[in-house]
C-alpha cells in the first residue's frame, strides 16, 4: 500500500515550515520525519526547496499549504466553539493533534487511515524525538470497512459529542460509494453541531483541465498519483455537493470554496503566485448538522 501522496503533502508542509517566521503560512515541525530527502531540504532551505517542488508541480505547494492553513483555522474555530473530538479521515502524515496542541485543549484526536499506511505512520511517529502524540489510531479501509463500526470499538470515542471531521486530500482516492458510506457513517456517530470538512477534485479535470490550471501540470499530477498506485478515481461537480450531503447524511452545506479563494486569503501579497501558475483543481466543503 503506497504512502507516496501522504509523503508528498508532508514534503510541502516541511518546505513551508522552513520559510521565515514572518511569512510562513503554516508550521509543521514533524513533517520532515515522514518523507525521504528531508535532510537535503533542511540543507537547501525554504527558497531552494520550494523552487525544486515548483519545478515538478508548479502551483501545487500554494494549493496544499493554503488548504492546510484553512483547516488549521477551522480546527481553532471549532474547538473554541465546543468541539471536543477531531476525527482525521485518511490522516496520512497529518500531525494536527501535536501541532495544534489538541490534547492540552482537552480535545481527543482519532486518526483513521488504511491499515498499512497507518502502521507505517506509527513506526515513524515512534522515532520522532520528544514527541507527545496522544492520538487514537483507528485502521480503516473506506473501500471495504465502515468507519462508524471501527470508531465504536474505541472506548474513548464519544458518538454523541460535537466533533470536527476532516477528510483532507482523500476523496479523489476512494470510490464514490465509499464517500457516501463514510458521510453516512460519520453522521451516525457524531453529535449535534458536528462539522464535516472535505476537499474534492473538480470533475472538470476529466475534460477541461485547462480551466483548473496549466493543463500539463494537472495531467502530470494525476499521472504521478497513478504511477505510485494511488490513482484519482472520484470527482465532483460543485452543483452535486448539496445532493451528496443530503443523500447520505444530516450534514448540510455551509460553504464550498475554490483553491483560488483560500490561496488568496492565506498567502500575503508578496507570496502570491501569478494567476497562470495557480492550480485550482480542488474545492473545499464545510458542512454541519
Ligand atoms: C494525499 S494523502 C492525504 C493525507 C492527509 N489527509 C494530509 O492531507 O496530509 C491521501 C490519504 O488517503 C488515504 N486513503 C486513500 N485511500 C483510502 C482508503 N480506501 N481508506 C482509508 N484511507 C485511504 C491514504 O492512505 C493517505 O493517507
Amino acid at each position: 500500500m503506497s504512502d507516496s501522496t501522504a509523503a508528498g503533502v508532508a514534503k510541502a508542509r516541511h518546505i513551508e515550515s522552513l520559510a521565515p517566521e514572518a511569512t510562513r503560512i503554516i508550521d509543521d515541525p514533524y513533517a520532515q520525519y515522514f518523507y525521504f530527502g528531508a535532510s537535503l531540504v533542511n540543507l537547501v532551505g525554504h527558497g531552494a526547496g520550494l523552487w525544486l517542488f515548483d519545478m515538478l508541480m508548479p502551483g501545487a505547494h500554494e494549493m496544499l499549504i493554503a488548504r492546510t492553513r484553512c483547516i488549521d483555522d477551522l480546527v481553532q474555530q471549532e474547538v473554541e466553539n465546543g468541539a471536543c473530538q477531531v476525527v482525521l479521515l485518511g490522516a496520512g502524515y497529518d500531525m494536527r493533534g501535536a501541532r495544534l496542541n489538541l490534547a492540552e485543549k482537552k480535545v481527543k484526536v482519532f486518526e483513521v487511515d488504511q491499515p498499512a499506511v497507518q502502521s507505517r505512520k506509527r513506526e515513524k511517529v515512534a522515532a520522532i524525538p520528544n514527541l507527545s502524540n496522544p492520538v487514537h489510531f483507528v485502521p480503516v479501509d473506506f473501500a471495504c470497512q465502515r468507519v462508524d463500526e471501527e470508531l465504536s470499538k474505541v472506548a474513548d470515542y464519544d458518538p454523541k459529542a460535537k466533533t470536527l471531521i476532516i477528510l483532507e486530500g482523500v476523496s479523489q482516492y476512494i470510490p464514490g460509494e465509499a464517500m457516501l458510506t463514510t458521510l453516512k457513517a460519520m453522521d451516525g456517530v457524531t453529535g449535534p453541531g458536528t462539522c464535516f470538512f472535505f476537499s474534492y477534485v473538480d470533475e472538470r479535470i476529466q475534460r477541461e483541465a485547462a480551466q483548473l490550471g496549466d493543463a500539463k501540470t494537472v495531467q502530470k499530477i494525476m499521472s504521478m498519483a497513478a504511477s505510485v498506485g494511488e490513482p484519482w478515481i472520484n470527482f465532483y461537480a460543485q452543483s452535486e455537493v448539496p445532493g451528496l450531503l443530503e443523500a447520505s447524511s444530516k450534514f448540510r452545506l455551509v460553504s464550498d470554496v475554490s483553491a483560488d479563494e483560500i490561496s488568496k486569503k492565506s498567502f500575503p501579497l508578496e507570496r502570491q503566485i501569478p494567476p497562470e501558475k495557480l492550480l485550482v483543481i480542488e474545492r473545499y466543503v464545510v458542512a454541519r448538522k
Side-chain angles (χ1 to χ4, degrees), residues 202-222:
D202 191 319
E203 61 84 32
R204 286 178 296 167
I205 203 166
Q206 299 171 100
R207 47 195 162 75
E208 301 167 35
Q211 302 280 324
L212 306 171
D214 172 54
K216 273 198 196 133
T217 304
V218 174
Q219 198 48 55
K220 197 196 278 182
I221 291 176
M222 289 182 75

Side-chain angles (χ1 to χ4, degrees), residues 14-42:
H14 178 214
I15 291 171
E16 185 60 27
S17 305
L18 296 174
E21 198 176 336
T23 57
R24 76 179 169 221
I25 311 302
I26 57 123
D27 184 23
D28 186 342
Y30 310 110
Q32 62 180 307
Y33 296 101
F34 295 109
Y35 74 97
F36 180 74
S39 39
L40 176 66
V41 172
N42 275 327

Side-chain angles (χ1 to χ4, degrees), residues 1-2 5-6 9-10 13 67 89-94 96 112-114 117 140-143 167-170 172-175 230:
M1 194 61 62
S2 165
T5 62
V9 185
R13 290 189 189 129
R67 179 177 91 187
L89 297 177
Y93 296 139
D94 180 342
R96 282 202 173 83
V112 177
D113 208 332
Q114 307 181 83
V117 175
V140 178
D141 182 338
F142 301 129
L167 186 121
E168 177 186 12
V170 178
Q172 63 268 43
Y173 299 102
I174 62 177
E230 300 179 75

Side-chain angles (χ1 to χ4, degrees), residues 227-275:
S227 72
V228 295
E230 300 179 75
W232 290 9
I233 55 170
N234 189 32
F235 313 95
Y236 298 99
Q238 189 185 351
S239 58
E240 278 180 89
V241 171
L244 168 74
L245 295 167
E246 275 166 41
S248 53
S249 66
K250 292 194 285 300
F251 293 107
R252 293 295 170 262
L253 186 66
V254 176
S255 59
D256 179 348
V257 297
S258 70
D260 184 17
E261 285 169 75
I262 64 160
S263 189
K264 286 205 180 98
K265 204 170 135 196
S266 307
F267 281 84
L269 264 184
E270 70 271 21
R271 287 205 52 203
Q272 290 198 6
I273 56 175

